[in-house]
C-alpha cells in the first residue's frame, strides 16, 4: 500500500528551491544571503502521484496535502462499524476488573 507522507517545499521566485536552512523573519523577509524570499509553496506526496498547486503560504500547502491524504484513504482503513462496540466491551471489561 502506498504511504501518503506530505512534504511542503518552498520555492524562490525564480523557481529554485528555498531550503529550510534559509532563514526568514516572521514577516517572510529573507535573512539568508542569496535568498530572494519564499515566493510559493508546493506540497508533494510520497506516493509520487500527487502535487499540490502553488500556494502562497506553507499552511495552505500543508492543508492541501492533508486533504489529498484523506481523499486517498481507502475505505478499509475507516474505523469498522463494530469498533466502538468493541471498545465499549473493553471498557466494561476494565470496569469489572
Ligand atoms: Zn499520496
Ligand atoms: Zn531561500
Amino acid at each position: 500500500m502506498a504511504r501518503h507522507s506530505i512534504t511542503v517545499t518552498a520555492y524562490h521566485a525564480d523557481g529554485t528551491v528555498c531550503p529550510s536552512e534559509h532563514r526568514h523573519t516572521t514577516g517572510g523577509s529573507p535573512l539568508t544571503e542569496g535568498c530572494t524570499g519564499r515566493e510559493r509553496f508546493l506540497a508533494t506526496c510520497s506516493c509520487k502521484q500527487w502535487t499540490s498547486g502553488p500556494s502562497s503560504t506553507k499552511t495552505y500547502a500543508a492543508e492541501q496535502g492533508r486533504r489529498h491524504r484523506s481523499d486517498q484513504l481507502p475505505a478499509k482503513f475507516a474505523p469498522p462499524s463494530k469498533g466502538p462496540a468493541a471498545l465499549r466491551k473493553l471498557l466494561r471489561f476494565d470496569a469489572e476488573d
Side-chain angles (χ1 to χ4, degrees):
M1 97 186 141
R3 282 172 56 87
H4 297 280
S5 175
I6 306 298
T7 306
V8 177
T9 308
Y11 290 87
H12 301 133
D14 66 0
T16 55
V17 172
C18 182
S20 52
E21 306 93 82
H22 284 186
R23 296 293 162 201
H24 306 83
T25 65
T26 48
S29 302
L31 295 171
T32 304
E33 201 182 340
C35 182
T36 53
R38 293 169 297 187
E39 207 243 1
R40 58 185 175 273
F41 297 86
L42 280 181
T44 53
C45 184
S46 60
C47 72
K48 298 192 182 2
Q49 281 166 16
W50 178 87
T51 304
S52 78
S55 307
S56 52
T57 67
K58 188 173 188 172
T59 310
Y60 186 64
E63 174 60 31
Q64 288 186 76
R66 270 196 292 277
R67 239 175 274 163
H68 158 71
R69 240 185 0 199
S70 56
D71 286 351
Q72 300 303 311
L73 219 56
K76 63 178 173 175
F77 289 125
S81 53
K82 63 176 181 179
L87 189 67
R88 277 198 298 275
K89 207 170 169 183
L90 196 70
L91 289 173
R92 269 206 303 275
F93 180 78
D94 283 348
E96 285 164 7
D97 196 25

